[in-house]
Amino acid sequence: MRENKLSMIEAHVSTLVFDEQGNTILLLKRSQSRSLYRELWESTGGQVFVGETFVEAAKRIAIAEIGVEPEIRAVLGTYIIPAKDDSLRSTLIPGIRFLGVLNKRVIPNITISNQHSEYLFVEKNNLNNHHLIPTLDEDIEAGFSVFRELPISLLR
């Protein structure tokens, strides 16, 4: 039976973290020691653990990477990470991207992990000044649009 069989699959989550007003997005610069996308800008993200929901994973990863927990407000969509498995075969890792918000009171408490060398909040019109990981620019554009469309009740 399918229910008796445990299949292992790698899945990821990522959260585009905005300020409360939706005017800026948090970007993290990948450290020089990272092998993939070295020194490019990204959002929080990482692997989902067995037994963890996607939202639990998104919050855990954000806390590990920026030291504070964003409020998850919406699912923005899915993404694919092209990668190599242990035998160096090409593989695709699926991911779910969330929209998260940080309360202005917790922003001063941001502390980044050693996976990143710096962070900053960027306005939409300044994104072109930063080298982003592939396809993140499209997702950020969608994130700004979704933020503007969220019901007021979700923005409190």
Side-chain angles (χ1 to χ4, degrees):
M1 286 177 60
R2 183 178 63 82
E3 291 81 9
N4 295 332
K5 184 177 166 185
L6 180 64
S7 296
M8 298 308 247
I9 181 171
E10 184 174 357
H12 281 225
V13 293
S14 174
T15 304
L16 299 181
V17 179
F18 291 85
D19 67 24
E20 285 180 297
Q21 293 76 36
N23 295 327
T24 60
I25 186 166
L26 174 70
L27 293 180
L28 302 164
K29 189 172 188 179
R30 293 173 65 88
S31 71
Q32 200 171 28
S33 63
R34 306 284 297 273
S35 59
L36 188 62
Y37 304 128
R38 180 180 295 125
E39 296 189 309
L40 295 184
W41 293 89
E42 66 178 353
S43 58
T44 67
Q47 186 173 353
V48 178
F49 294 155
V50 173
E52 192 174 45
T53 69
F54 293 112
V55 171
E56 289 169 344
K59 289 179 178 183
R60 172 187 52 80
I61 291 163
I63 291 167
E65 292 187 351
I66 62 173
V68 294
E69 180 181 313
E71 182 182 339
I72 304 299
R73 300 263 176 97
V75 174
L76 290 175
T78 61
Y79 61 97
I80 299 291
I81 302 170
K84 302 278 186 193
D85 65 14
D86 291 339
S87 62
L88 297 180
R89 290 180 301 194
S90 291
T91 186
L92 300 174
I93 301 169
I96 296 178
R97 184 139 9 242
F98 293 98
L99 184 150
V101 176
L102 282 181
N103 181 294
K104 64 183 173 190
R105 290 185 304 273
V106 302
I107 289 175
N109 299 327
I110 291 175
T111 55
I112 57 173
S113 72
N114 62 3
Q115 295 180 34
H116 299 97
S117 58
E118 60 183 293
Y119 77 92
L120 46 82
F121 280 88
V122 179
E123 294 178 347
K124 182 179 176 180
N125 58 350
N126 289 328
L127 286 170
N128 291 336
N129 299 332
H130 300 69
H131 298 287
L132 304 174
I133 62 171
T135 74
L136 186 60
D137 55 342
E138 298 161 10
D139 292 339
I140 290 173
E141 182 74 31
F144 275 108
S145 296
V146 168
F147 193 99
R148 286 193 300 274
E149 300 298 322
L150 286 175
I152 298 298
S153 62
L154 290 177
L155 294 175
R156 292 188 182 157

